[in-house]
Amino acid sequence: MFNKFRKGHKPLSTEYTKEEVLQHPIPEHVAIIMDGNGRWAKKRSLPRIAGHYEGMQVVRKITRFANELGIKVLTLYAFSTENWKRPKQEVDYLMKLPEQFLTTFLPELIEENVNVRVIGNRDQLPEHTRRAVEKAMEETKHNTGLILNFALNYGSRRELTYAMQEIAKQVAKGQLAPEEITEDVIASYLMTKDLKDPDLLIRTSGEIRLSNFMLWQLAYTEFWFTDVLWPDFTEQHLLQAVAEFQQRGRRFGGV
Ligand code: IPE
Ligand code: IPE
Ligand code: MG
């Protein structure tokens, strides 16, 4: 709607080709809040877990396409620290998904030089879930292609709380002076310490909120929201998000 009238910009409804998008700089780090699996299932009178299964297939498709586009880091919000509140049956299923995903797709990911990583607290995951993700991380740790970073049992406030505790311990021991706590020091205590901040954040399903996702890291990220439910998300939607990102003027506070 709005973009349609901005000078030189294609209307939002425009279809973009990969070739077109590849003519301009590609966001290096794309983060996605994959939302709407439950509503997708409900619309079809299916149990919510059917939506999660379908969502997993989309993760595979979008990972492959992100790699083709030359995106360097793809962070996917898969399970938040608040998602434990859901019915046990749903949580149990969500905890089986990483295993299912990795058992099915790990050989392909290795073949495609993908480096699997996880942010979030792994200690609280069921043993079988933790083993699956750690195996994938181990087997892909030397891969130099796309970094596929799952946010699993991740919550930004918990991440920041933990960072503050660790920094406070350093100060208490006399190993760090309060004035030495810089932005870089704080960033180095976050789970994303080896990654640059996201350039582009996508959230599906029409919700316009962050739901405790990467509060520090998203300070200057471009946001792209869509009503599309995650299981309906396609390569074309990613192209649209990237194309619109390419049309934004990022100023980082400058002029
Ligand atoms: C996103 O879909 C997946 C997770 C949060 C695990 P939802 O399960 O939140 O689906 P909706 O938002 O209820 O439709
Ligand atoms: C955010 O989605 C978490 C993930 C996508 C994993 P939610 O569905 O949990 O978020 P709210 O509850 O709508 O804010
Ligand atoms: Mg949701």
Side-chain angles (χ1 to χ4, degrees):
M1 278 285 279
F2 182 76
N3 270 3
K4 199 185 287 193
F5 305 107
R6 280 163 60 182
K7 212 172 76 200
H9 292 175
K10 282 185 160 192
L12 268 182
S13 55
T14 307
E15 297 252 324
Y16 290 89
T17 64
K18 185 174 150 192
E19 290 64 37
E20 226 173 338
V21 159
L22 285 175
Q23 281 167 14
H24 305 280
I26 296 291
E28 284 180 32
H29 184 173
V30 176
I32 308 184
I33 302 176
M34 309 181 289
D35 199 12
N37 295 350
R39 278 164 281 172
W40 183 92
K42 194 170 178 216
K43 278 206 317 200
R44 289 163 179 75
S45 308
L46 295 168
R48 291 178 56 84
I49 59 172
H52 297 314
Y53 177 82
E54 208 55 38
M56 177 178 81
Q57 311 305 319
V58 176
V59 168
R60 180 64 198 109
K61 180 173 76 183
I62 294 303
T63 300
R64 194 183 293 127
F65 194 58
N67 209 357
E68 277 176 42
L69 286 179
I71 289 168
K72 294 198 164 57
V73 184
L74 180 66
T75 295
L76 300 177
Y77 202 9
F79 193 90
S80 76
T81 47
E82 288 73 46
N83 287 147
W84 297 106
K85 291 181 204 157
R86 296 185 178 202
K88 182 176 182 312
Q89 190 215 11
E90 181 173 350
V91 170
D92 286 349
Y93 186 77
L94 287 168
M95 287 299 141
K96 284 197 192 111
L97 273 188
E99 264 169 292
Q100 265 197 42
F101 176 81
L102 293 165
T103 317
T104 320
F105 298 124
L106 191 57
E108 269 176 72
L109 295 172
I110 292 172
E111 174 97 350
E112 288 163 23
N113 201 21
V114 171
N115 175 202
V116 178
R117 299 197 198 176
V118 171
I119 55 171
N121 192 339
R122 266 181 280 147
D123 296 340
Q124 291 163 347
L125 297 175
E127 173 70 21
H128 61 96
T129 314
R130 196 175 66 230
R131 247 188 288 120
V133 299
E134 286 176 354
K135 175 173 181 265
M137 287 163 72
E138 179 61 29
E139 289 188 15
T140 64
K141 71 178 178 197
H142 298 302
N143 289 355
T144 53
L146 174 80
I147 295 173
L148 176 59
N149 184 36
F150 287 103
L152 191 59
N153 191 21
Y154 173 86
S156 188
R157 287 187 170 183
R158 186 165 303 171
E159 175 187 42
L160 286 164
T161 303
Y162 177 79
M164 286 181 209
Q165 288 172 350
E166 292 302 305
I167 292 169
K169 284 183 203 163
Q170 295 298 310
V171 174
K173 282 193 278 185
Q175 286 169 354
L176 189 69
E179 316 72 73
E180 287 170 341
I181 305 171
T182 59
E183 292 185 13
D184 286 342
V185 167
I186 294 171
S188 77
Y189 280 88
L190 302 179
M191 292 160 173
T192 49
K193 60 177 185 294
D194 302 323
L195 303 173
K196 73 174 294 230
D197 290 339
D199 300 293
L200 171 63
L201 171 80
I202 296 172
R203 183 168 187 154
T204 59
S205 92
E207 308 301 348
I208 317 288
R209 56 174 169 265
L210 293 179
S211 303
N212 202 10
F213 188 56
M214 290 187 138
L215 304 179
W216 172 277
Q217 297 87 341
L218 296 175
Y220 266 108
T221 301
E222 297 296 327
F223 289 6
W224 192 81
F225 295 101
T226 175
D227 288 340
V228 171
L229 305 173
W230 177 249
D232 292 326
F233 194 84
T234 63
E235 288 94 339
Q236 183 52 230
H237 295 118
L238 183 59
L239 282 177
Q240 250 182 54
V242 171
E244 285 181 36
F245 166 87
Q246 291 171 333
Q247 294 170 6
R248 305 243 181 115
R250 296 181 89 188
R251 285 182 289 281
F252 300 99
V255 286

